[in-house]
Amino acid sequence: METTSRVGAQAPAAEGGQQLPSARRTVDAYLQASFPWYGLDEAFTGPRWLMQVGAAADGAVEHGSIGHGDEPSVRGESGTAGEQREKFAVVVTVAAQPSRRSADGTGLLEATSVSSAAWLAGVGLLSFTWPGQMDHSLRDDWLDQQTETAWALADDLEGPEWSKLSLPVDGAAASFYYRESEFGWVLAGTTGSGVHLGAYGRGMSAYGLGFAAVKDVAAYA
């Protein structure tokens, strides 16, 4: 799955509730998607926030993330106490796409799958992870290595690193692949709504989560 552009994390609202331009651009990117966005269901009553979307070369939105709970800081910078306070879960929605021609017609894009969602979730968790004793200069090498590991794990969902977990999606039980690591947890599955779901988190148990289509994504801005 190729992604050539992203819209970054949402900016805060200006005084008086007026949205800043960057926040408006983030919301607009989510609204341009041709598929439904997913988040935690109504059982979760904490904060929700938009993160970023990924788009193809032709500008079509292919995937994006919505956060729940505490906005996470990078592990290793926040300290032990900060890690214990942070409780968050991020839901990644990936459009279910078959193999298709690239925008310029010169190549073929791979189909998306549950593995795509698992990889995006795994890399997402890594973006908030950093071994505390690691020098800044070594982080890129560490991230490259861990990203390759996340890809290998996502490509082997039937392997020993994964277990099965049943969680509700739109009120019906659905099967997910689930794994834990020292950095947090990752899961991935699919829905009957034309999307694959990935999720990752820390400090918030995955076992009690449920997912539902977002009724109004603009309300999260």
Side-chain angles (χ1 to χ4, degrees), residues 22-186:
S22 58
R24 181 71 259 168
R25 287 196 298 271
T26 300
V27 176
D28 288 346
Y30 282 82
L31 294 174
Q32 290 168 9
S34 61
F35 53 87
W37 294 105
Y38 272 75
L40 297 185
D41 62 19
E42 294 180 353
F44 176 79
T45 58
R48 301 173 185 245
W49 26 278
L50 302 181
M51 297 181 68
Q52 62 185 21
V53 303
D58 61 1
V61 175
E62 294 189 325
H63 60 84
S65 302
I66 295 177
H68 306 74
D70 304 324
E71 294 196 39
S73 56
V74 176
R75 181 177 177 178
E77 292 182 334
S78 57
T80 302
E83 292 168 25
Q84 292 176 344
R85 286 195 302 268
E86 287 181 355
K87 297 180 179 181
F88 69 91
V90 174
V91 180
V92 184
T93 307
V94 183
Q97 298 276 16
S99 296
R100 60 209 184 279
R101 289 285 178 185
S102 59
D104 58 10
T106 60
L108 191 67
L109 299 179
E110 293 183 3
T112 59
S113 65
V114 177
S115 289
S116 305
W119 182 72
L120 287 168
V123 171
L125 181 60
L126 288 175
S127 68
F128 297 114
T129 301
W130 188 354
Q133 304 303 315
M134 182 176 290
D135 185 87
H136 285 243
S137 63
L138 298 177
R139 190 181 187 222
D140 286 345
D141 289 340
W142 181 86
L143 280 175
D144 287 344
Q145 181 186 49
Q146 294 299 318
T147 298
E148 287 295 324
T149 299
W151 174 253
L153 289 170
D155 201 37
D156 186 23
L157 293 175
E158 299 296 337
E161 298 293 334
W162 298 90
S163 59
K164 292 289 184 69
L165 184 62
S166 181
L167 296 172
V169 177
D170 292 325
S175 181
F176 287 86
Y177 296 94
Y178 174 78
R179 67 177 176 89
E180 294 181 355
S181 74
E182 61 183 299
F183 310 126
W185 53 262
V186 172

